[in-house]
Amino acid sequence: MGLSIGLVGLPNVGKSTTFNALTKAQNAQSANYPFCTIEPNKAIVPVPDKRLDELAKIVNPERVQYSTLDFVDIAGLVKGASKGEGLGNKFLSNIRETEVILHIVRCFEDPNIVHVEGTIDPLRDVEIIEQELLFADLDAIQKRVDSLKKKARGNDKSAKAQLVIAEELLDFVADGNPVSSYDKKDDDAFLAMNRDLRLLTSKEIMYGANVDEDGLAEDNKFVQDLKEYAKKRDYEVIKLCAKVEEDMVDFDEDEKAEMLEDLGVDESGLDQIIHKGFDKLGLMSYFTAGVKEVRAWTIRQNTTAPKAAAVIHNDFEKGFIRAEVISYNDFIKYGGEQGAKEAGKNRLEGKEYIVQDGDIMHFRFNV
């Protein structure tokens, strides 16, 4: 669907190690020095979904296809990035192309791994990155204000409407506020402006607290401080040990579960990142289930049946007649499609139906 999550942070905080583990391929160079990553690495990552595995047990298909997410590993930012320090302008433009920011924050001490600021201080690190994002947005908004003023003098009504919002937003961000907390984000003038500018602080943010093994079972002081900071801003904090996640890349599910249990963890940090990232992007899955393939199809939340059908093929939307729908729970409870039908749990839905997460669907269409 062209939606992506960008991994950002200071140099040497574990971004590329996290990316390697996410993609299950060691294709993002990782080393103990700043600016190891220059060009953004990109990868398509499957979204773990146990529901597909349960469907496959019933249907016994030839293959299983999961939903996917796009992840982008963006080079480490440094203080002054918005002014071009450390190739900052290039890296900030890479962030602009993503929809959600996963900010990897170092929350462990290790004298063998250098820190660009010399000491471990997660809140300072977060402030450095977020200040640079703010400064970049200020610059972008100021340029837009200057451009709109010229158009407004030519009696351009649309420019005049955008100028009011742009000037107000400029003052708001100049006071140190992220665009995400601006109270007129639904205003048409703001939406039109942000479609062009893709303001960095308007994006959803998650923090990835990168800890050592000892920090997985119990929050250390660094994680506690980060969680307290994030709570005030209503941001997610996901705790992970990037090194452990990378070590588990080649494990099968049983080996992975055993290791997580030994570490006192219920779910992999990477699985949490993927699931919460999927949700932050406003995405969900519906399923098709046949002997050839059990598959998850990715759609936005609150999508109608014809629009959901278009994800499979545009003709499905054009010629949409109705959708046959079985809820996931009913499909499992009654042992598959036939059992669900016999129990009266198969529904026919029309064009106004809002697809629910986990629906098993079959579309009737005529082109």
Side-chain angles (χ1 to χ4, degrees), residues 74 91-99 136-137 140 196-200 203:
I74 296 165
F91 302 158
L92 288 166
S93 69
N94 292 333
I95 300 171
R96 208 174 296 284
E97 298 307 310
T98 66
E99 282 68 39
D137 280 352
D196 290 337
L197 300 184
R198 297 175 67 88
L199 295 166
L200 300 174
K203 300 178 185 296

mmCIF file of all heavy atoms in Angstrom, residues 74 91-99 136-137 140 196-200 203:
data_model
loop_
_atom_site.group_PDB
_atom_site.id
_atom_site.type_symbol
_atom_site.label_atom_id
_atom_site.label_comp_id
_atom_site.label_asym_id
_atom_site.label_seq_id
_atom_site.Cartn_x
_atom_site.Cartn_y
_atom_site.Cartn_z
ATOM 1 N N ILE A 74 17.025 4.584 8.215
ATOM 2 C CA ILE A 74 17.537 5.907 7.842
ATOM 3 C C ILE A 74 18.788 6.211 8.661
ATOM 4 O O ILE A 74 18.851 5.923 9.852
ATOM 5 C CB ILE A 74 16.460 6.984 8.062
ATOM 6 C CG1 ILE A 74 15.280 6.716 7.122
ATOM 7 C CG2 ILE A 74 17.030 8.386 7.823
ATOM 8 C CD1 ILE A 74 14.019 7.464 7.466
ATOM 9 N N PHE A 91 19.119 13.094 5.174
ATOM 10 C CA PHE A 91 18.476 12.096 6.019
ATOM 11 C C PHE A 91 17.073 12.538 6.440
ATOM 12 O O PHE A 91 16.151 11.728 6.527
ATOM 13 C CB PHE A 91 19.331 11.813 7.254
ATOM 14 C CG PHE A 91 20.729 11.324 6.911
ATOM 15 C CD1 PHE A 91 21.753 11.444 7.832
ATOM 16 C CD2 PHE A 91 21.015 10.754 5.689
ATOM 17 C CE1 PHE A 91 23.044 11.002 7.525
ATOM 18 C CE2 PHE A 91 22.286 10.308 5.366
ATOM 19 C CZ PHE A 91 23.306 10.440 6.287
ATOM 20 N N LEU A 92 16.907 13.839 6.701
ATOM 21 C CA LEU A 92 15.589 14.357 7.060
ATOM 22 C C LEU A 92 14.611 14.194 5.901
ATOM 23 O O LEU A 92 13.439 13.884 6.113
ATOM 24 C CB LEU A 92 15.692 15.830 7.474
ATOM 25 C CG LEU A 92 16.357 16.076 8.830
ATOM 26 C CD1 LEU A 92 16.714 17.557 8.984
ATOM 27 C CD2 LEU A 92 15.469 15.635 9.981
ATOM 28 N N SER A 93 15.079 14.365 4.678
ATOM 29 C CA SER A 93 14.198 14.175 3.518
ATOM 30 C C SER A 93 13.790 12.710 3.393
ATOM 31 O O SER A 93 12.684 12.400 2.933
ATOM 32 C CB SER A 93 14.874 14.658 2.235
ATOM 33 O OG SER A 93 15.962 13.826 1.874
ATOM 34 N N ASN A 94 14.664 11.796 3.813
ATOM 35 C CA ASN A 94 14.302 10.374 3.803
ATOM 36 C C ASN A 94 13.173 10.094 4.795
ATOM 37 O O ASN A 94 12.266 9.304 4.514
ATOM 38 C CB ASN A 94 15.516 9.514 4.168
ATOM 39 C CG ASN A 94 16.600 9.548 3.103
ATOM 40 O OD1 ASN A 94 16.320 9.774 1.939
ATOM 41 N ND2 ASN A 94 17.835 9.329 3.509
ATOM 42 N N ILE A 95 13.233 10.742 5.961
ATOM 43 C CA ILE A 95 12.175 10.570 6.962
ATOM 44 C C ILE A 95 10.852 11.100 6.418
ATOM 45 O O ILE A 95 9.784 10.531 6.659
ATOM 46 C CB ILE A 95 12.534 11.305 8.272
ATOM 47 C CG1 ILE A 95 13.830 10.770 8.871
ATOM 48 C CG2 ILE A 95 11.400 11.151 9.301
ATOM 49 C CD1 ILE A 95 14.357 11.593 10.039
ATOM 50 N N ARG A 96 10.915 12.188 5.673
ATOM 51 C CA ARG A 96 9.705 12.829 5.154
ATOM 52 C C ARG A 96 8.881 11.871 4.297
ATOM 53 O O ARG A 96 7.654 11.993 4.210
ATOM 54 C CB ARG A 96 10.107 14.062 4.332
ATOM 55 C CG ARG A 96 9.065 15.155 4.287
ATOM 56 C CD ARG A 96 9.582 16.397 3.571
ATOM 57 N NE ARG A 96 10.688 17.033 4.255
ATOM 58 C CZ ARG A 96 10.574 17.782 5.347
ATOM 59 N NH1 ARG A 96 9.379 17.973 5.876
ATOM 60 N NH2 ARG A 96 11.632 18.332 5.908
ATOM 61 N N GLU A 97 9.535 10.901 3.680
ATOM 62 C CA GLU A 97 8.843 9.965 2.794
ATOM 63 C C GLU A 97 8.171 8.817 3.536
ATOM 64 O O GLU A 97 7.510 7.990 2.918
ATOM 65 C CB GLU A 97 9.826 9.400 1.764
ATOM 66 C CG GLU A 97 10.446 10.462 0.847
ATOM 67 C CD GLU A 97 9.400 11.320 0.179
ATOM 68 O OE1 GLU A 97 8.453 10.748 -0.399
ATOM 69 O OE2 GLU A 97 9.512 12.560 0.240
ATOM 70 N N THR A 98 8.338 8.737 4.858
ATOM 71 C CA THR A 98 7.704 7.673 5.635
ATOM 72 C C THR A 98 6.446 8.194 6.331
ATOM 73 O O THR A 98 6.229 9.402 6.419
ATOM 74 C CB THR A 98 8.674 7.101 6.692
ATOM 75 O OG1 THR A 98 8.956 8.110 7.671
ATOM 76 C CG2 THR A 98 9.979 6.648 6.043
ATOM 77 N N GLU A 99 5.624 7.283 6.832
ATOM 78 C CA GLU A 99 4.367 7.675 7.486
ATOM 79 C C GLU A 99 4.447 7.603 9.006
ATOM 80 O O GLU A 99 3.770 8.347 9.708
ATOM 81 C CB GLU A 99 3.211 6.778 7.007
ATOM 82 C CG GLU A 99 2.670 7.139 5.645
ATOM 83 C CD GLU A 99 3.660 6.865 4.528
ATOM 84 O OE1 GLU A 99 4.368 5.840 4.569
ATOM 85 O OE2 GLU A 99 3.738 7.694 3.599
ATOM 86 N N ALA A 136 13.504 21.477 11.235
ATOM 87 C CA ALA A 136 13.263 21.202 9.815
ATOM 88 C C ALA A 136 11.844 21.621 9.426
ATOM 89 O O ALA A 136 11.621 22.189 8.345
ATOM 90 C CB ALA A 136 13.480 19.718 9.522
ATOM 91 N N ASP A 137 10.870 21.355 10.303
ATOM 92 C CA ASP A 137 9.490 21.762 10.027
ATOM 93 C C ASP A 137 9.355 23.285 10.017
ATOM 94 O O ASP A 137 8.643 23.855 9.176
ATOM 95 C CB ASP A 137 8.537 21.168 11.066
ATOM 96 C CG ASP A 137 8.187 19.718 10.774
ATOM 97 O OD1 ASP A 137 8.552 19.231 9.690
ATOM 98 O OD2 ASP A 137 7.533 19.081 11.623
ATOM 99 N N ALA A 140 10.521 24.518 6.733
ATOM 100 C CA ALA A 140 9.579 24.195 5.655
ATOM 101 C C ALA A 140 8.338 25.085 5.723
ATOM 102 O O ALA A 140 7.844 25.567 4.689
ATOM 103 C CB ALA A 140 9.174 22.723 5.743
ATOM 104 N N ASP A 196 1.694 18.382 0.758
ATOM 105 C CA ASP A 196 2.920 18.790 0.052
ATOM 106 C C ASP A 196 4.142 18.708 0.965
ATOM 107 O O ASP A 196 5.184 18.185 0.572
ATOM 108 C CB ASP A 196 2.781 20.229 -0.461
ATOM 109 C CG ASP A 196 1.784 20.355 -1.588
ATOM 110 O OD1 ASP A 196 1.524 19.338 -2.260
ATOM 111 O OD2 ASP A 196 1.261 21.457 -1.790
ATOM 112 N N LEU A 197 4.024 19.242 2.174
ATOM 113 C CA LEU A 197 5.190 19.382 3.050
ATOM 114 C C LEU A 197 5.549 18.109 3.804
ATOM 115 O O LEU A 197 6.702 17.903 4.172
ATOM 116 C CB LEU A 197 4.949 20.520 4.056
ATOM 117 C CG LEU A 197 4.709 21.911 3.485
ATOM 118 C CD1 LEU A 197 4.586 22.929 4.606
ATOM 119 C CD2 LEU A 197 5.821 22.308 2.526
ATOM 120 N N ARG A 198 4.547 17.250 4.058
ATOM 121 C CA ARG A 198 4.777 16.011 4.824
ATOM 122 C C ARG A 198 5.622 16.325 6.074
ATOM 123 O O ARG A 198 6.696 15.757 6.296
ATOM 124 C CB ARG A 198 5.471 14.959 3.946
ATOM 125 C CG ARG A 198 4.629 14.543 2.757
ATOM 126 C CD ARG A 198 5.366 13.599 1.827
ATOM 127 N NE ARG A 198 5.623 12.312 2.457
ATOM 128 C CZ ARG A 198 4.787 11.278 2.445
ATOM 129 N NH1 ARG A 198 3.615 11.387 1.868
ATOM 130 N NH2 ARG A 198 5.124 10.140 3.007
ATOM 131 N N LEU A 199 5.093 17.220 6.887
ATOM 132 C CA LEU A 199 5.822 17.726 8.047
ATOM 133 C C LEU A 199 6.241 16.597 8.979
ATOM 134 O O LEU A 199 5.456 15.702 9.298
ATOM 135 C CB LEU A 199 4.970 18.765 8.779
ATOM 136 C CG LEU A 199 4.702 20.032 7.958
ATOM 137 C CD1 LEU A 199 3.583 20.856 8.583
ATOM 138 C CD2 LEU A 199 5.969 20.866 7.803
ATOM 139 N N LEU A 200 7.485 16.658 9.413
ATOM 140 C CA LEU A 200 8.092 15.552 10.162
ATOM 141 C C LEU A 200 7.423 15.333 11.513
ATOM 142 O O LEU A 200 7.222 14.202 11.938
ATOM 143 C CB LEU A 200 9.585 15.814 10.358
ATOM 144 C CG LEU A 200 10.394 15.958 9.066
ATOM 145 C CD1 LEU A 200 11.825 16.361 9.380
ATOM 146 C CD2 LEU A 200 10.370 14.674 8.260
ATOM 147 N N LYS A 203 3.980 13.303 12.086
ATOM 148 C CA LYS A 203 3.926 11.851 11.948
ATOM 149 C C LYS A 203 3.763 11.157 13.303
ATOM 150 O O LYS A 203 4.167 11.680 14.342
ATOM 151 C CB LYS A 203 5.211 11.344 11.267
ATOM 152 C CG LYS A 203 5.417 11.928 9.878
ATOM 153 C CD LYS A 203 6.709 11.461 9.263
ATOM 154 C CE LYS A 203 6.953 12.158 7.933
ATOM 155 N NZ LYS A 203 5.934 11.837 6.921
#
